Amino acid sequence: LARTNLNLLLTLDALLEDFHGRGIRVVADLVVNHVGYGARLTRTRPGWFHDGRTSCQDDPRRCSLAGLPDLAQEREEVAAYLDAYSARFVRRFPFDGVRMDTVKHVPASYFAERWIPTVRAERDLWLVGELLDGSGYDPFVPYVEAGFDGLFDFPLHGAMLDAFARGGSLNGVASRVQEYVDRFGIAAARRKSQLLDNHDVPRFLQASEGRPEAERVAGYRLALATLFTVPGIPQLYYGDELGFTGEWPENRRDMPAWAFDPEARGGAGREGVVGDPGETFALTRELIALRRALPALRRAAVAIGRREL
């Protein structure tokens, strides 16, 4: 086991060195809300966990999410353990950022007073929080104030689904973009992350099922263009660049072998894909190149509504 762990560490070291040599920044996924099913800590420190009987609707910060053992960050020994673990992790590996899982199930005060100061004392990392809540931006406030650089913009995700997948009005998209800028400022808006898909939601194209193929493709291309051009950091979930569709568990299916072959990538009619994946791939590359070429899409002053910001 020790030899296996050592090999894994060396492999991760080599992977990070290779990525950094290519100019690629690497964001690590960390979790302080819970541990895995059957984790040793549940046996050695059973008092460190909430009892799991609380509904997530009643108290999202003390509930057992999907039955996962829920850590009690309000206990000093638990907070100290998580702080020390996180500090060792970011000290040992030169990650460039952290994607913090399930932030809404952890008290914002823990992040503000403990975790964020701890990891930032080790290195200046980009910190993005996963707050899976499309209801609006009120839940964002305590986590933005806690010090996260950004959160995943699920309210905008819902507006984009309505507009581009279901044929609704673009007003909802524009309103969400404007609301984020008004509430948090343009600098914060450029640091949050927008997305079409992730592993916890059905694929974006699933929402357009039943519409004509041409409309689904056109709507999806507009969604991709919006992803890369509104204020914020675009997140591509694997398969977005090919037009994958499907609900769970298909939203987590493996990348097919043909996806890695430029010659095999073209052509419509593939199962689980809407449109020509080669054309969608080419469009995604064009949008990435456009974002790189135009500083206004990344960090310069931009016009929002009728105001120059």
Side-chain angles (χ1 to χ4, degrees), residues 198-280:
N198 83 354
H199 61 291
D200 287 323
V201 297
R203 290 279 185 175
F204 193 91
L205 280 158
Q206 191 66 28
S208 64
E209 190 174 35
R211 301 182 70 196
E213 177 91 354
E215 290 184 14
R216 298 181 78 187
V217 172
Y220 188 65
R221 289 178 177 177
L222 288 171
L224 278 170
T226 302
L227 182 74
F228 279 91
T229 54
V230 300
I233 301 168
Q235 176 204 277
L236 280 176
Y237 180 56
Y238 78 98
D240 284 352
E241 75 281 14
L242 299 167
F244 279 17
T245 188
E247 298 181 283
W248 189 90
E250 285 301 300
N251 62 335
R252 302 185 182 189
R253 68 187 177 103
D254 291 345
M255 188 75 90
W258 58 260
F260 302 96
D261 183 350
E263 294 184 2
R265 199 181 290 138
R270 290 193 179 275
E271 185 178 359
V273 177
V274 176
D276 185 323
E279 292 180 0
T280 304

Side-chain angles (χ1 to χ4, degrees), residues 90-143:
V90 300
R91 187 186 313 130
R92 171 63 179 79
F93 299 107
F95 289 106
D96 304 286
V98 170
R99 179 256 190 202
M100 177 53 66
D101 188 70
T102 57
V103 298
K104 76 174 182 179
H105 296 288
V106 178
S109 58
Y110 168 69
F111 290 122
E113 299 165 11
R114 304 287 302 249
W115 188 79
I116 290 177
T118 294
V119 297
R120 285 243 162 91
E122 296 295 332
R123 198 163 67 258
D124 185 19
L125 295 158
W126 178 66
L127 305 178
V128 59
E130 184 239 3
L131 201 163
L132 208 170
D133 189 331
S135 64
Y137 294 119
D138 285 348
F140 282 46
V141 174
Y143 297 96

Side-chain angles (χ1 to χ4, degrees), residues 38-88:
R40 184 175 60 179
L41 204 62
T42 61
R43 300 187 298 274
T44 60
R45 296 289 189 273
W48 285 14
F49 299 88
H50 296 130
D51 62 19
R53 291 176 291 184
T54 303
S55 163
C56 284
Q57 290 185 336
D58 294 336
D59 189 346
R61 292 164 186 81
R62 299 179 68 91
C63 68
S64 177
L65 182 66
L68 290 161
D70 191 73
L71 287 157
Q73 295 86 10
E74 68 274 11
R75 296 191 57 171
E76 171 59 30
E77 59 268 39
V78 177
Y81 171 84
L82 294 171
D83 292 348
Y85 160 78
S86 299
R88 287 196 306 271

Side-chain angles (χ1 to χ4, degrees), residues 24 26 43 57 66 88 142 190 211 259 268 279 297-298 306:
I24 299 173
V26 183
R43 300 187 298 274
Q57 290 185 336
R88 287 196 306 271
R190 289 198 299 264
R211 301 182 70 196
E279 292 180 0
L297 295 180
R298 303 192 305 275
R306 297 181 181 178

